[in-house]
């Protein structure tokens, strides 16, 4: 009988965040596939777990993926871990999940630490609808193209960022979204120096120009504001009033008809008609 693949999230800073289920799964697995075995061995030592480790990362995943799938098909259970957080989220794992699924292997994802969700929940931005954009390119042109594609995005947008690229990213964001767009910069989450700076893009640029950024960041950027309903309504009302007056109606009748057509109180339409 085939084994299984478990996706095991690991702490993004605070070692206390490893769950009982994650620990038990690591203990019970036949082998652990790790993004960087040197990083994972430290966590396993901390947990007192001795287990055979294989490396699985971006540049060996094609070859290692096949070996892992064969071992699982032969009956072994594999636990996949990344350096920190949830495997397969801006980390190796996506391809292995696909390969296993195609081979008919059961994949089980254990919920746990994930920087994107931790940042979103603490950001103070709207959480109802959001999109995760991962890392932006280091190349200015593709970074700009990526951001341009989000120009009209209304959902909250979440990005991963390294400190040395932060300022360039904030500057590109301000060019595309405008300097007054709200942003929450979530730094060193779950760690000693955890900090959330809730500000605007322009202020963030000023802050991190004066004080170079340190640590790991998640950027939670507010979506494009809805166009102000009032302004649209007012423009629509004025246009309709003008149209009716041009067609020969008296101002009084135009106000009456516009208020009926748009289901608006007559006095509101009257007030707006004063701007004509
Ligand atoms: N798979 C991981 C997860 O579920 O969060 C993400 C891995 S990705 C390679 C690493 C990026 O996640 C960092 O560059 C940073 O943007 C973000 N990150 C990870 N840990 C963080 C932390 N403690 N505080 C803030 N950001 C963090």
């Amino acid at each position: 009988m085939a084994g299984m693949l478990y996706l095991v999230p690991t702490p993004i800073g605070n070692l206390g965040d490893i769950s009982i289920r994650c620990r038990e799964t690591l203990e019970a697995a036949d082998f652990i596939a790790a993004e960087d075995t040197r990083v994972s061995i430290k966590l396993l030592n901390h947990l007192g777990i001795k287990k055979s480790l294989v490396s699985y990362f971006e540049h060996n995943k094609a070859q290692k993926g096949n070996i892992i799938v064969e071992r699982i098909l032969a009956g072994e259970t594999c636990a996949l871990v990344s350096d920190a957080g949830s495997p397969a989220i801006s980390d190796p794992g996506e391809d292995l999940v696909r390969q296993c699924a195609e081979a008919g292997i059961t994949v089980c994802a254990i919920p746990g630490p994930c920087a994107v969700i931790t940042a979103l929940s603490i950001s103070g931005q709207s959480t109802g609808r959001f999109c995760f954009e991962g890392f932006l390119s280091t190349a200015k042109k593709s970074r700009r193209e990526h951001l341009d594609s989000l120009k009209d995005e209304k959902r909250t947008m979440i990005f991963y960022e390294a400190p040395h690229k932060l300022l360039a990213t904030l500057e590109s964001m301000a060019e595309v979204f405008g300097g007054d767009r709200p942003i929450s910069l979530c730094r060193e989450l779950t760690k000693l120096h955890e900090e959330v700076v809730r500000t605007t893009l322009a202020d963030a640029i000023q802050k991190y120009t004066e004080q170079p950024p340190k640590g790991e960041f998640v950027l939670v950027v507010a979506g494009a504001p809805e166009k102000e309903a009032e302004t649209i309504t007012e423009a629509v009302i004025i246009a309709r009033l003008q149209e009716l007056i041009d067609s020969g109606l008296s101002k009084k009748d135009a106000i009456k008809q516009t208020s009926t057509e748009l289901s608006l109180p007559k006095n509101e339409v009257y007030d707006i008609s004063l701007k004509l």
Side-chain angles (χ1 to χ4, degrees):
M1 205 177 120
M4 267 177 74
L5 174 70
Y6 284 94
L7 305 180
V8 180
T10 54
I12 56 170
N14 188 326
L15 288 177
D17 290 336
I18 189 93
S19 74
I20 296 170
R21 189 170 172 219
C22 288
R23 185 193 278 255
E24 286 173 354
T25 304
L26 291 171
E27 270 165 358
D30 292 303
F31 68 102
I32 296 172
E35 181 183 7
D36 184 337
T37 52
R38 291 161 306 180
V39 172
S40 299
I41 203 91
K42 287 185 197 150
L43 176 71
L44 294 174
N45 285 342
H46 169 78
L47 299 173
I49 297 173
K50 279 201 166 49
K51 195 64 62 175
S52 119
L53 283 169
V54 298
S55 74
Y56 179 82
F57 59 96
E58 191 53 35
H59 301 292
N60 74 0
K61 66 183 183 187
Q63 174 222 354
K64 282 292 174 74
N66 291 336
I67 297 171
I68 293 170
V69 167
E70 274 168 30
R71 286 183 69 172
I72 300 175
L73 285 173
E76 288 186 275
T77 287
C78 171
L80 176 69
V81 294
S82 61
D83 288 352
S86 298
I89 306 298
S90 290
D91 263 345
E94 183 183 337
D95 294 316
L96 188 59
V97 170
R98 197 176 302 117
Q99 259 183 290
C100 285
E102 281 167 8
I105 292 167
T106 305
V107 182
C108 173
I110 302 180
C114 184
V116 52
I117 296 301
T118 311
L120 175 66
S121 35
I122 205 175
S123 68
Q125 308 285 354
S126 300
T127 60
R129 297 186 68 204
F130 62 91
C131 53
F132 174 52
E133 296 295 321
F135 287 99
L136 289 166
S137 168
T138 37
K140 193 169 179 190
K141 188 165 175 274
S142 14
R143 182 169 69 228
R144 186 56 197 257
E145 279 167 7
H146 187 157
L147 290 172
D148 279 339
S149 74
L150 295 168
K151 204 171 178 349
D152 297 319
E153 179 57 67
K154 295 207 167 42
R155 294 171 295 179
T156 299
M157 298 168 279
I158 312 171
F159 303 85
Y160 282 162
E161 197 47 283
H164 63 280
K165 282 166 46 204
L166 182 74
L167 260 181
T169 291
L170 292 174
E171 276 157 10
S172 298
M173 282 179 173
E175 282 167 25
V176 177
F177 304 139
D180 55 358
R181 181 70 68 88
I183 178 172
S184 304
L185 300 104
C186 308
R187 189 175 80 85
E188 295 289 86
L189 294 166
T190 78
K191 301 184 192 176
L192 188 61
H193 299 292
E194 173 171 313
E195 179 188 41
V196 181
V197 176
R198 301 178 184 89
T199 182
T200 60
L201 285 169
D203 286 348
I205 291 170
Q206 193 183 340
K207 175 179 165 67
Y208 291 108
T209 305
E210 287 164 8
Q211 170 199 319
K214 281 194 198 133
E216 297 192 277
F217 281 84
V218 182
L219 310 179
V220 185
V221 183
E226 293 289 341
K227 294 211 169 54
E228 277 186 37
E230 231 171 84
T231 318
I232 295 171
T233 311
E234 192 172 296
V236 169
I237 294 168
I238 289 176
R240 185 59 186 148
L241 281 170
Q242 192 64 63
E243 209 173 31
L244 291 171
I245 291 167
D246 290 347
S247 73
L249 252 61
S250 68
K251 196 169 176 184
K252 193 173 163 210
D253 287 342
I255 291 170
K256 200 171 158 199
Q257 185 165 332
T258 304
S259 86
T260 312
E261 280 178 10
L262 301 178
S263 309
L264 290 168
K266 230 190 290 176
N267 59 349
E268 197 178 304
V269 181
Y270 172 79
D271 287 346
I272 291 169
S273 77
L274 298 176
K275 295 183 183 171
L276 272 173

